[in-house]
Amino acid sequence: MTRVELPYQLFDADNHLYETKDALTRYLPKEYAGAIQYVEINGRTKIAVLGQISEYIPNPTFDVVAKPGAMEEYFKHGNPDGKSRREIFGEPMRAIQAFRDPVERLKIMDELQLQRALMFPTLASLVEERMRHHPELIHAVIHSLNQWMLETWGQNGNFVHSDRIFTVPVVTLPIIEKAIEELNWCVVEHGAKAILVRPAPVPGFKGMRSFALPEFDPFWKRVVELDVLVTMHSSDSGYSRFDAEWDGNSLEMLPFKTNTFAMTNQWRPVTDAVASWVCHGALNRFPELKVAVIENGSAWLEPLLQQLSDVYKKAPEGFGFRDPIEAIKQSLYVSPFWEEDLERLSSVIGADHVLFGSDWPHPEGLAEPARYIHEIKDMPLADQAKIMGGNLAGLLKV
């Protein structure tokens, strides 16, 4: 492990745990038994949701995984040789205890020079999309997962472990009363400092709709009262349905199959999610909201701001006469990919709205998170300190 000279402490906005096979079901009420199953297919374990086998996460047991940072070269330099995704992932590894246990994770964090980290689930990213026609089931499975995370990654009935690992529970929104109940359970009863909300339209009994519509105001009002950070982490936002209509094939994204059409649209979900915050008015009605966009990069931001600026010029009344750019810059925090132009992003939204995130231990992230500071070495030291941990510490008040 390469040691990096650090003039400040690191607070990583994007770490991940790997769930065990019972993470979604250990606390699932009996009436929902069978909604989540693990099945053997040709000698490999797969997850089935409502009887439908999913390939979204190819190895849902996480017993064998790609090495942390396996795709660093791919993201920094591209893929001129046209290697397959399997080739880019390289030789896999057996999961280590630090992927599943907070005490062991703290030891690895010391080696990685991480003082603190937000800890996100991994398997959770497939749940809501595959249950979108069953709102009550979504709430039940998400609460079961949150109970598992609290028990496994929490400490003393709190989602915070040793004041260093801040596990982020999921709050799903289909039934608003249940969403508020879950929010209170996570934050008030069990000390969560941040919540995870999917960057996608919300499923419901009458179909899909934006989380930023007035219907959800009671939920966002409670979020503001609790002063809790809302994170929107990259997930399955359901957009593969639209790609499939162009491709004429499976409705599910396949992890190892190259799909250039889908790649050109990969930032559409986060673009639409952030646009919805202002177009549907939630940031107007609740300007105190703090929203962190995690593991979605930042390439989508400038084009979106330009588009919103043009729309505002033509239809200011549609935004309640509040400039949407101003609203976004006040409430939005972005965790860019390490290989992006971080100085430029800081010039767009301000260094105080940029969050360092390594995506460790996922293959898409950095094997050694502290090396992130090399990407901002030419920025003022004060800005570096904000990006690498100060901003997030301030948001969580820790």
Side-chain angles (χ1 to χ4, degrees):
M1 194 75 66
T2 305
R3 300 294 293 182
V4 178
E5 191 67 33
L6 296 175
Y8 35 69
Q9 293 184 336
L10 305 188
F11 194 158
D12 196 332
D14 188 20
N15 261 217
H16 285 271
L17 58 87
Y18 282 130
E19 294 92 332
T20 57
K21 286 176 67 175
D22 66 341
L24 298 174
T25 59
R26 183 184 298 177
Y27 293 102
L28 193 62
K30 292 181 179 179
E31 61 263 35
Y32 299 114
I36 304 286
Q37 296 176 305
Y38 285 82
V39 297
E40 298 295 320
I41 305 291
N42 297 325
R44 297 179 65 86
T45 302
K46 298 293 181 182
I47 192 169
V49 180
L50 295 173
Q52 183 71 38
I53 294 171
S54 173
E55 293 285 352
Y56 180 74
I57 294 178
N59 182 9
T61 67
F62 303 116
D63 291 335
V64 177
V65 295
K67 294 177 182 178
M71 301 179 73
E72 282 187 33
E73 286 298 310
Y74 169 79
F75 285 113
K76 189 68 172 179
H77 303 294
N79 182 22
D81 298 326
K83 293 179 181 179
S84 69
R85 188 56 62 94
R86 289 184 186 274
E87 290 174 315
I88 292 169
F89 278 161
E91 191 69 25
M93 64 176 286
R94 301 291 303 182
I96 59 176
Q97 280 299 105
F99 296 166
R100 302 184 186 274
D101 177 79
V103 175
E104 293 300 314
R105 186 57 158 264
L106 287 171
K107 297 175 185 177
I108 290 291
M109 286 172 60
D110 288 340
E111 294 180 22
L112 297 174
Q113 299 178 265
L114 297 178
Q115 176 64 24
R116 297 178 172 132
L118 288 185
M119 194 67 60
F120 290 96
T122 298
L123 191 62
S125 61
L126 63 73
V127 170
E128 292 177 82
E129 177 57 23
R130 282 151 192 80
M131 298 179 178
R132 65 183 184 275
H133 300 303
H134 304 274
E136 290 180 333
L137 175 61
I138 296 176
H139 282 280
V141 172
I142 290 299
H143 184 60
S144 179
L145 171 64
N146 286 340
Q147 288 177 286
W148 176 86
M149 286 197 291
L150 179 65
E151 178 181 73
T152 308
W153 283 84
Q155 187 179 47
N156 301 323
N158 195 294
F159 277 105
V160 180
H161 196 292
S162 301
D163 291 321
R164 295 184 64 191
I165 295 175
F166 297 80
T167 302
V168 185
V170 184
V171 178
T172 187
L173 304 177
I175 303 170
I176 297 171
E177 294 77 14
K178 287 184 176 292
I180 295 173
E181 180 182 327
E182 189 73 17
L183 175 67
N184 287 327
W185 184 85
C186 293
V187 179
V188 179
E189 296 182 38
H190 298 291
K193 295 291 187 178
I195 60 169
L196 174 59
V197 174
R198 188 173 70 131
V202 179
F205 293 112
K206 296 181 180 180
M208 312 289 284
R209 72 277 200 214
S210 169
F211 51 79
L213 289 169
E215 172 187 350
F216 294 98
D217 281 2
F219 177 81
W220 300 123
K221 180 176 184 291
R222 186 58 177 151
V223 168
V224 169
E225 289 172 351
L226 295 175
D227 194 25
V228 64
L229 177 65
V230 178
T231 66
M232 290 196 140
H233 190 284
S234 178
S235 180
D236 184 354
S237 295
Y239 278 57
S240 59
R241 299 199 303 276
F242 310 124
D243 295 333
E245 291 182 358
W246 289 99
D247 293 334
N249 58 21
S250 169
L251 290 179
E252 183 173 70
M253 182 194 82
L254 299 178
F256 294 122
K257 184 177 180 181
T258 299
N259 186 326
T260 53
F261 183 81
M263 290 172 72
T264 63
N265 296 314
Q266 63 183 324
W267 308 126
R268 193 72 247 172
V270 67
T271 300
D272 289 349
V274 173
S276 180
W277 277 113
V278 287
C279 292
H280 294 121
L283 293 191
N284 232 8
R285 298 188 296 274
F286 302 99
E288 306 94 336
L289 278 168
K290 300 173 297 185
V291 181
V293 176
I294 310 291
E295 204 184 316
N296 283 278
S298 62
W300 50 271
L301 182 60
E302 283 193 77
L304 173 61
L305 295 181
Q306 179 57 53
Q307 189 174 22
L308 287 171
S309 178
D310 183 61
V311 174
Y312 180 65
K313 180 173 65 177
K314 297 172 181 174
E317 74 283 2
F319 297 96
F321 293 94
R322 185 190 181 199
D323 188 339
I325 312 304
E326 173 192 311
I328 287 173
K329 288 184 177 182
Q330 175 176 323
S331 295
L332 197 73
Y333 297 79
V334 177
S335 179
F337 296 136
W338 63 274
E339 71 272 13
E340 295 180 319
D341 189 337
L342 306 182
E343 289 189 63
R344 182 172 181 85
L345 174 62
S346 297
S347 72
V348 172
I349 62 170
D352 53 348
H353 280 247
V354 180
L355 307 175
F356 147 64
S358 72
D359 194 29
W360 203 90
H362 286 174
E364 298 90 348
L366 280 169
E368 298 179 354
R371 289 194 283 108
Y372 195 105
I373 73 168
H374 298 322
E375 308 301 321
I376 57 174
K377 59 182 173 55
D378 296 327
M379 297 179 66
L381 187 62
D383 287 348
Q384 293 183 41
K386 290 178 181 179
I387 292 169
M388 299 303 294
N391 291 334
L392 186 55
L395 286 170
L396 301 190
K397 295 181 171 58
V398 297

